[in-house]
Amino acid sequence: QQKVQQSPESLSVPEGGMASLNCTSSDRNFQYFWWYRQHSGEGPKALMSIFSDGDKKEGRFTAHLNKASLHVSLHIRDSQPSDSALYFCAAASSGSWQLIFGSGTQLTVMP
Amino acid sequence: GGIITQTPKFLIGQEGQKLTLKCQQNFNHDTMYWYRQDSGKGLRLIYYSITENDLQKGDLSEGYDASREKKSSFSLTVTSAQKNEMAVFLCASSIPDRGYEQYFGPGTRLTVL
């Protein structure tokens, strides 16, 4: 069983709309959570991190973490066509050298 | 800032061939990784190296060898390329005191004929 599961697999939203991506982990040792974004033909880039329960906002992007339920989400408001990409959730536990990646959500923002 | 360079960008090989992919980073990071990504899907860890001269196997190490020649470089060898294999190989580096954030290179796209 994958330790980090993402949903949905793919998501289409209209330009200017809200995109919501979800991630659930199965390992209570995870303490560090990341969202990565990968545009076609490029390597993934870190979008934002969240290490504490609650919300973290950076511009149009808001991440939410609930460690009790092992749930992380990413919300993108006012979505732009340039936000179209593959989004990964990733998690790490203290003392581990690995980031465990989910299988990704393909976001398409339609002009 | 720093950068991760992967060479070659595109690699075409024949079935059974041994193929080597190279990665260089100038972040001065201790830890480096190799991942395989099939058809825009998830990342699967092949090998990682915590520090120079260290090698650790990931979940997908069978069929691959790795070498950490020095702190800035990490190579991956496909020991026997499989026909119709097509994937992108991504190199990354990290330091633990940034919440294990990893920085990725642009990838090497492998096609096996």
Side-chain angles (χ1 to χ4, degrees), chain A residues 98, chain B residues 34 44-48 56-62:
Chain A
Q98 297 184 41
Chain B
W34 276 107
R44 292 188 287 174
L45 183 64
I46 306 172
Y47 268 97
Y48 65 105
Q56 305 284 337
K57 290 184 178 181
D59 291 339
L60 199 66
S61 62
E62 188 171 337

Side-chain angles (χ1 to χ4, degrees), chain B residues 3-7 22-26 34 91 104-107:
Chain B
I3 192 167
I4 294 183
T5 305
Q6 291 188 239
T7 54
K22 293 188 180 295
C23 176
Q24 296 265 349
Q25 54 100 358
N26 64 0
W34 276 107
C91 176
F104 284 83

Side-chain angles (χ1 to χ4, degrees), chain A residues 34 36 38 46 86 95-97, chain B residues 33 37 40 98-102:
Chain A
W34 291 87
Y36 276 74
Q38 183 181 27
L86 186 57
S96 167
W97 297 95
Chain B
Y33 307 80
Q37 184 177 33
R98 285 180 58 85
Y100 302 93
E101 179 181 6
Q102 292 185 13

Side-chain angles (χ1 to χ4, degrees), chain A residues 9-38:
Chain A
E9 266 190 39
S10 63
L11 177 64
S12 290
V13 299
E15 184 175 354
M18 172 77 84
S20 294
L21 291 68
N22 296 292
C23 175
T24 302
S25 60
S26 60
D27 189 337
R28 291 200 172 275
N29 292 315
F30 288 150
Q31 296 178 24
Y32 307 98
F33 296 86
W34 291 87
W35 284 99
Y36 276 74
R37 181 165 72 177
Q38 183 181 27

